[in-house]
């Protein structure tokens, strides 16, 4: 089983273009199912989650081809509405196919999705949103049988701003005659990206980025060409890596306004930041210092996907920082691995008190999930000595050539068998 070997303590310098957003490309690829014909999606990262999505599209009868960072989806021959359990278990985001299949074919059959083990993440919100639009959903023995014979536009009220439920409601609403209003919608930039793709397909949709999204369903759609936004969580990872290892880097391809909460934390910790359109520059010459409490929250709050990554950077700094995880119950699984590297982190329920130890030390650690794995890489870059990070399959779900990109910035990191 391969692992990353990192020789820590080398400052990072240079410029890097950030790959396309994992959390945008997956629902956009699913949205290609809405119409027959060929859609062309640019800036698609080469990730295992994207590969799993393409496998599902092919199984459903679509043509799915990749050339570089461009993926061509031809959904003309869509012929199946059922997704086998082994494909659903590969990633949590596979549930997004539910809305697209209902809108196009009026039926869908799939099992409960897999993904990182971050505690209970019920898809009840997805199902209640689709039921509100008239879908009939039968749940039995871990399978979902969905029928959309009575779909029509209605008001959908989400009790919490779930990104996935918002996306599923948007896709289903495209196939519902009449007006759908999604109240309590998630406001993440990836929701806006999905709306922009649907607009390119001819959809009549507005409000993404606010708590209320309106969709006029039953409108004729057509295939489209689109470029996926840059990955703000990947950008946060490289910024935290440079903060942990110190140095000066510039990232391109990500709008800084999508990372306001993360950038403010890094600035408070002692980093110097300069931003421009689709550009973020960070310089850090001294150990990071403790900052005000970091509380994860739906966008525009601090992203739960950035919690472990920032924690890893601050663990090797000075001073104390309180983290409060408000989204997932099991998002501190990386803490025990950071402790192997000398981190001083005390847990109490949803709270984690991080006391900087000045510098972490290298150790053999194991990725526990996607962002936890990235956090261990960040910690290893700033640590003294050699760090070995195993279970790279988690990291490959959301990062394209992480080791290669870090090497371009001067990191001593390599993948070994």
């Amino acid at each position: 089983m391969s692992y990353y070997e990192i020789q820590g303590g080398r400052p990072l310098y240079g410029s890097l273009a950030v790959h396309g957003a994992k959390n945008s490309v997956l629902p956009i690829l699913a949205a290609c199912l809405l119409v027959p014909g060929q859609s062309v999606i640019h800036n698609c990262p080469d990730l295992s989650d994207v590969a799993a999505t393409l496998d599902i599209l092919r199984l459903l009868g679509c043509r799915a081809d990749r050339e570089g960072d461009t993926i061509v989806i031809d959904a003309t021959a869509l012929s199946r509405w059922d997704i086998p359990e082994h494909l659903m278990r590969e990633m949590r985001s596979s549930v997004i196919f539910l809305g697209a299949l209902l809108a196009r074919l009026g039926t869908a059959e799939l099992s409960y999705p897999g993904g990182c083990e971050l505690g209970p993440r019920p898809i009840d919100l997805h199902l209640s949103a689709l039921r509100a639009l008239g879908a009939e959903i039968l749940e039995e023995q871990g399978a979902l049988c969905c029928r959309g014979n009575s779909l029509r536009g209605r008001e959908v009220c989400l009790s919490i701003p779930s990104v996935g439920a918002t996306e599923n409601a948007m896709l289903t609403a495209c196939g519902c005659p009449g007006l759908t209003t999604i109240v309590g919608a998630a406001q993440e930039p990836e929701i806006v990206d999905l709306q922009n793709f649907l607009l390119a397909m001819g959809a009549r949709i507005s409000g993404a980025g606010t708590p209320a999204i309106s969709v006029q369903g039953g409108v004729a759609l057509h295939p489209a060409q689109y470029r996926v936004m840059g990955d703000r969580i990947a950008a946060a990872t490289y910024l935290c890596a440079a903060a942990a290892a110190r140095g000066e880097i510039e990232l391109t391809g990500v709008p800084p306004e999508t990372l306001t909460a993360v950038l403010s934390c890094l600035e408070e910790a002692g980093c110097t930041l300069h931003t421009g359109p689709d550009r973020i520059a960070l310089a850090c010459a001294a150990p990071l210092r403790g900052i005000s409490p970091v509380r994860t929250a739906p966008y525009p709050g601090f992203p739960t996907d950035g919690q472990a990554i920032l924690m890893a950077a601050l663990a090797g700094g000075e001073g104390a920082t309180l983290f409060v995880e408000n989204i997932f119950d099991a998002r501190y699984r990386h803490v025990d691995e950071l402790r192997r590297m000398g981190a001083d982190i005390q847990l109490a329920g949803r709270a984690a008190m991080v006391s900087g130890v000045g510098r972490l030390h290298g150790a053999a650690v194991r990725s526990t999930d996607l962002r936890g794995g990235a956090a261990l890489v960040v910690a290893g870059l700033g640590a003294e000595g050699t760090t070995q990070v195993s279970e790279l399959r988690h990291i490959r779900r959301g990062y394209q050539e992480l080791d290669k990109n870090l090497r371009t910035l001067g990191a001593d990191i390599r993948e070994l068998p």
Side-chain angles (χ1 to χ4, degrees):
M1 186 178 295
S2 63
Y3 61 93
Y4 287 152
E5 183 177 88
I6 304 167
Q7 300 295 333
R10 295 185 57 168
L12 305 185
Y13 293 97
S15 180
L16 184 68
V18 178
H19 62 66
K22 165 188 178 287
N23 292 335
S24 274
V25 70
L26 303 183
I28 285 173
L29 290 174
C32 293
L33 290 176
L34 291 174
V35 291
Q38 181 174 288
S39 291
V40 181
I41 315 299
H42 302 290
N43 202 29
C44 296
D46 188 5
L47 312 173
S48 60
D49 270 12
V50 174
T53 300
L54 298 182
D55 286 342
I56 291 174
L57 287 167
R58 292 180 185 119
L59 178 135
L60 294 173
C62 302
R63 198 188 92 222
D65 300 318
R66 174 190 280 277
E67 183 172 342
D69 71 353
T70 296
I71 291 176
V72 177
I73 304 296
D74 190 334
T76 302
L78 177 65
S79 57
R80 290 182 60 168
W81 54 83
D82 59 310
I83 303 176
E85 181 180 8
H86 73 277
L87 289 178
M88 288 297 298
R89 285 190 174 278
E90 288 190 29
M91 61 174 186
R92 167 68 48 172
S93 302
S94 54
V95 73
I96 197 64
F97 283 98
L98 186 55
L101 287 170
L102 274 177
R104 172 81 181 275
L105 300 178
T107 187
E109 295 181 8
L110 56 157
S111 63
Y112 280 87
C116 290
E117 297 298 329
L118 301 177
R121 290 194 286 176
I123 62 171
D124 294 356
L125 281 173
H126 298 248
L127 304 185
S128 63
L130 302 189
R131 285 184 172 121
L133 293 171
E136 300 174 4
I137 303 175
L138 177 64
E139 303 173 61
E140 56 180 21
Q141 298 181 341
L144 298 170
C145 299
C146 311
R147 300 292 180 265
N149 299 326
S150 304
L151 291 178
R152 68 178 178 85
R154 294 179 174 90
E155 182 174 88
V156 176
C157 296
L158 299 179
S159 57
I160 60 173
S162 161
V163 173
T166 300
E167 293 168 341
N168 252 328
M170 291 167 69
L171 295 178
T172 306
C174 287
C176 296
L179 178 65
T180 294
T181 303
I182 305 168
V183 180
Q187 302 176 55
E188 273 73 1
E190 293 80 9
I191 299 288
V192 178
D193 215 25
L194 176 59
Q195 173 178 280
N196 289 339
F197 177 59
L198 293 173
L199 287 170
M201 298 178 79
R204 292 172 58 185
I205 179 171
S206 62
T210 77
I213 298 174
S214 297
V215 184
Q216 183 64 52
V219 176
L221 303 180
H222 53 76
Q225 187 165 177
Y226 190 73
R227 181 176 179 83
V228 175
M229 66 178 283
D231 195 313
R232 62 193 175 102
I233 304 302
T237 303
Y238 291 115
L239 293 171
C240 286
R246 302 172 203 172
E248 188 170 345
I249 69 169
E250 179 183 65
L251 303 179
T252 58
V254 175
E257 60 269 20
T258 65
L259 274 171
T260 301
V262 174
L263 299 183
S264 64
C265 288
L266 289 172
E267 197 163 38
E268 185 182 351
C271 300
T272 300
L273 290 158
H274 297 285
T275 62
D278 290 337
R279 170 188 170 274
I280 305 170
L282 176 143
C284 184
L288 296 178
R289 54 178 179 260
I291 61 176
S292 305
V294 178
R295 305 176 189 276
T296 65
Y299 189 85
F302 190 90
T304 182
D305 279 353
Q307 174 254 107
I309 298 159
L310 179 63
M311 182 184 291
L314 293 173
E318 300 172 347
T321 302
L322 174 67
F323 284 79
V324 181
E325 175 55 55
N326 293 309
I327 308 298
F328 294 128
D329 291 338
R331 197 128 212 189
Y332 288 139
R333 297 176 65 205
H334 58 282
V335 167
D336 282 343
E337 301 304 307
L338 288 175
R339 286 171 175 160
R340 293 177 186 271
M341 302 178 69
D344 182 354
I345 304 173
Q346 303 302 314
L347 297 179
R350 289 183 174 269
M353 178 58 74
V354 181
S355 299
V357 296
R359 190 148 205 171
L360 301 175
H361 58 75
V365 291
R366 178 181 62 86
S367 298
T368 56
D369 56 79
L370 169 55
R371 306 306 174 185
L376 297 177
V377 173
V378 167
L381 292 168
E384 187 174 69
T386 303
T387 297
Q388 295 178 345
V389 181
S390 61
E391 297 288 349
L392 301 184
R393 60 187 174 86
H394 292 298
I395 294 174
R396 292 192 178 103
R397 290 188 50 236
Y399 295 91
Q400 177 177 300
E401 298 182 328
L402 180 61
D403 55 333
K404 179 181 177 181
N405 289 332
L406 288 169
R407 282 197 298 273
T408 67
L409 299 175
D412 187 345
I413 176 174
R414 56 180 179 158
E415 181 176 337
L416 295 175

